[in-house]
Amino acid sequence: MKGIMIQGTASDVGKSLIVTAMCRILANEGVRVTPFKSQNMSNNSYVTRDGKEIGRAQGIQAEAARVEPSVWMNPILLKPRSDQHAEIVYLGKALETLSGRGYRDHFYEQGLAVIQQSLHHLAEEFDVVVIEGAGSPVEINLKDRELVNMKVAELADVPVVLVADIDRGGVFASIVGTLDLLESNERQRVVGVIINKFRGDITLFEDGVQWLEEKTGVPVLGILPYVENHMIDGEDSLSIRTQFSKRTNGVLDIAVIHLPFISNYSDLEPFLYEEDVTLRWVHNKSEFGQPDAIIIPGTKSTSNDMIHLRENQLDILIQNHIANGGYVVGICGGYQILGEEMMDKEGTDTGIPNPKVKGLGIIPATTTFYKEKETNQVIAMYHHATGLRSNHPLEGYEIHLGKTIFSKEVCPFLTLANGLEDGYFGHGGQIIGTYLHHLFHNDEWRNQWLNMIRKKKGLPSEQIRSISEYKDKRYDLIAAEMKSHLKWDLIKQIINQWGSKG
């Protein structure tokens, strides 16, 4: 197998972005390249064309590589359900929920087997595999049964590049310390170091490069600049918070209710491209303010998050906002929260069988949770009763537990390609609920909805902005930027020579 693995001295050093850039660089050079991450922990997922669930980052990296995302790119996805438990998504399907201890004790051999199977499948289909690690490869308390770093490099037999974040400080100690803590056979796989998130005059770091190379015997393969607003989907809500916190002057104020178990927050990222929008997180009633619109996002535990809203009196503020004519969109769990009641017969939402939780009572509907999760890619049109018109179908995906049933006749929001109806459309679009994730990634719909709000505020309408075109350009721009700061010919030489051994 030809490939390379990007590991980090810590979490959030920029591994995902570097893998994304490398996938696009290689794709632009005509290489059949694929991303791979053996095990991902994130509630921000991506649904493949065949209705399977993988980590969002691997879906984005596949887009950058110009290939169809598949479960082989991320065979194990852990979706946290609490501080100690996570749902195991195995080859795209929910398997079971285990504690951290239970996962380590009972899943390790099964995990190793599916990682080997995935690597074999990718090696047959692609020329190069760009592998992403997780956290640090020298977490001593976890190292004996890890499935994400050096064990994967060993299974794939690929060289490793270590990435360190200079922006957080301590870059020399983090690199030297990580290398010193590796076993000798692991240390031999490390063929280079990348310094990431560098700010300022790079010539001031020349002595640092020389010292690192002399001290470790490992070449520095690049010093990458800090990329502001790179617009590439993040694995967690921190990346969205960071990017939106820098924009506070948008005339449209959209409040996103920050749920404790929030998931699939990539639904919000299209608003980064709307210059007149300020999107802000609301954690408690003091942050609520007077928004023009509210978005209630997806969640891994609808019932518990509804209880959280009530305990923090956010339920009353949302209800008052709607009563005063404010706009609201509930997506997936947020749609369920807008209903009258949630019933968890199987205990799949709360972990306790048969609880009932009252919702906001905005939509006349009851949601019942079942064991089986719906995961589908979706193509839809506006329901004819909405009066909305579209030149293009809406695309997105469903990934939810539960079925929502109305207690009286209402106007659905969408008609799906299979003929079924989805969601709720009330008061001319003031109130919308839907199971369709990535609703706002549809440029025409996002523009139409924002123009409704602009009109209410007496503002002129804006033209449609194409996210897909802009994102593809961003992939190329970031790839070009990264390549200009990497010793790219040397990296390719390492990949080819290592992959030709034996």
Side-chain angles (χ1 to χ4, degrees), residues 186-205:
E186 297 171 337
R187 175 68 177 75
Q188 291 169 11
R189 285 193 182 276
V190 180
V191 295
V193 171
I194 292 175
I195 310 294
N196 196 26
K197 304 183 187 179
F198 188 89
R199 302 175 189 262
D201 185 350
I202 202 167
T203 62
L204 297 176
F205 196 67

Side-chain angles (χ1 to χ4, degrees), residues 1-236:
M1 171 184 289
K2 285 188 179 181
I4 194 165
M5 187 166 190
I6 306 301
Q7 296 185 19
T9 57
S11 297
D12 197 35
V13 298
K15 297 185 293 291
S16 294
L17 185 61
I18 290 171
V19 170
T20 303
M22 284 190 171
C23 283
R24 177 49 65 98
I25 294 169
L26 288 164
N28 284 346
E29 294 181 352
V31 177
R32 293 183 306 159
V33 58
T34 179
F36 179 73
K37 187 166 185 175
S38 57
Q39 173 187 291
N40 207 338
M41 178 172 282
S42 175
N43 275 331
N44 211 20
S45 56
Y46 188 108
V47 174
T48 61
R49 190 178 297 277
D50 56 353
K52 305 293 178 62
E53 193 176 358
I54 64 174
R56 179 74 192 157
Q58 281 62 64
I60 292 301
Q61 290 159 359
E63 289 179 4
R66 298 193 181 95
V67 296
E68 186 69 34
S70 78
V71 294
W72 305 114
M73 299 172 185
N74 177 217
I76 306 169
L77 173 62
L78 304 180
K79 304 190 77 172
R81 296 192 67 111
S82 70
D83 289 341
Q84 296 188 17
H85 290 78
E87 177 186 67
I88 301 172
V89 179
Y90 177 83
L91 287 178
K93 290 292 184 182
L95 187 64
E96 58 183 324
T97 297
L98 291 175
S99 66
R101 170 64 66 183
Y103 180 75
R104 280 174 56 80
D105 289 347
H106 303 297
F107 191 76
Y108 184 72
E109 298 300 332
Q110 187 176 356
L112 277 181
V114 77
I115 291 167
Q116 288 175 306
Q117 181 185 6
S118 300
L119 288 168
H120 178 74
H121 185 94
L122 295 176
E124 288 189 334
E125 188 175 351
F126 296 96
D127 300 325
V128 173
V129 182
V130 183
I131 304 174
E132 180 181 343
S136 159
V138 289
E139 300 293 347
I140 303 303
N141 58 317
L142 303 174
K143 209 166 173 297
D144 62 322
R145 295 177 75 80
E146 64 96 358
L147 292 169
V148 291
N149 287 308
M150 282 299 179
K151 186 61 180 178
V152 177
E154 177 190 332
L155 291 173
D157 192 15
V158 294
V160 171
V161 173
L162 189 65
V163 178
D165 175 2
I166 196 171
D167 191 53
R168 66 174 64 189
V171 70
F172 298 102
S174 66
I175 293 170
V176 174
T178 299
L179 292 172
D180 282 353
L181 287 171
L182 290 172
E183 303 291 338
S184 60
N185 62 313
E186 297 171 337
R187 175 68 177 75
Q188 291 169 11
R189 285 193 182 276
V190 180
V191 295
V193 171
I194 292 175
I195 310 294
N196 196 26
K197 304 183 187 179
F198 188 89
R199 302 175 189 262
D201 185 350
I202 202 167
T203 62
L204 297 176
F205 196 67
E206 289 175 354
D207 290 346
V209 170
Q210 182 179 346
W211 184 90
L212 275 172
E213 292 184 336
E214 290 176 354
K215 174 70 176 178
T216 66
V218 175
V220 175
L221 297 175
I223 303 174
L224 304 181
Y226 193 103
V227 181
E228 299 278 2
N229 298 324
H230 56 70
M231 304 291 202
I232 304 301
D233 299 18
E235 280 197 303
D236 54 48

Side-chain angles (χ1 to χ4, degrees), residues 360-414:
L360 292 174
I362 305 301
I363 293 174
T366 296
T367 296
T368 303
F369 298 105
Y370 300 99
K371 282 188 175 181
E372 292 299 317
K373 183 189 292 187
E374 290 282 341
T375 57
N376 303 295
Q377 285 204 345
V378 174
I379 296 176
M381 298 295 291
Y382 301 129
H383 192 275
H384 65 87
T386 65
L388 299 173
R389 298 291 179 265
S390 174
N391 295 318
H392 307 282
L394 283 77
E395 297 184 6
Y397 62 92
E398 290 181 309
I399 177 167
H400 62 90
L401 291 166
K403 188 172 184 179
T404 300
I405 303 295
F406 298 109
S407 58
K408 63 180 182 181
E409 188 173 343
V410 301
C411 176
F413 178 39
L414 302 172

Side-chain angles (χ1 to χ4, degrees), residues 292-445:
D292 298 308
I294 295 170
I295 296 175
I296 309 178
T299 162
K300 282 293 292 177
S301 183
T302 308
S303 302
N304 286 322
D305 279 344
M306 180 62 231
I307 293 170
H308 167 80
L309 295 185
R310 189 166 288 122
E311 289 176 344
N312 288 273
Q313 300 178 17
L314 283 168
D315 58 331
I316 298 171
L317 294 176
I318 296 169
Q319 290 162 341
N320 289 342
H321 166 84
I322 295 169
N324 292 327
Y327 284 79
V328 64
V329 174
I331 300 175
C332 198
Y335 170 34
Q336 296 167 344
I337 282 171
L338 287 171
E340 295 172 325
E341 189 175 58
M342 291 156 282
M343 298 169 32
D344 192 9
K345 288 186 176 182
E346 305 286 347
T348 50
D349 184 59
T350 60
I352 305 169
N354 295 315
K356 294 182 180 180
V357 175
K358 286 189 176 181
L360 292 174
I362 305 301
I363 293 174
T366 296
T367 296
T368 303
F369 298 105
Y370 300 99
K371 282 188 175 181
E372 292 299 317
K373 183 189 292 187
E374 290 282 341
T375 57
N376 303 295
Q377 285 204 345
V378 174
I379 296 176
M381 298 295 291
Y382 301 129
H383 192 275
H384 65 87
T386 65
L388 299 173
R389 298 291 179 265
S390 174
N391 295 318
H392 307 282
L394 283 77
E395 297 184 6
Y397 62 92
E398 290 181 309
I399 177 167
H400 62 90
L401 291 166
K403 188 172 184 179
T404 300
I405 303 295
F406 298 109
S407 58
K408 63 180 182 181
E409 188 173 343
V410 301
C411 176
F413 178 39
L414 302 172
T415 300
L416 308 185
N418 60 9
L420 297 178
E421 296 172 342
D422 169 81
Y424 174 89
F425 185 88
H427 300 277
Q430 179 203 348
I431 304 167
I432 291 172
T434 179
Y435 278 118
L436 186 68
H437 286 292
H438 277 204
L439 171 66
F440 290 111
H441 285 248
N442 292 276
D443 300 323
E444 190 176 35
W445 159 251

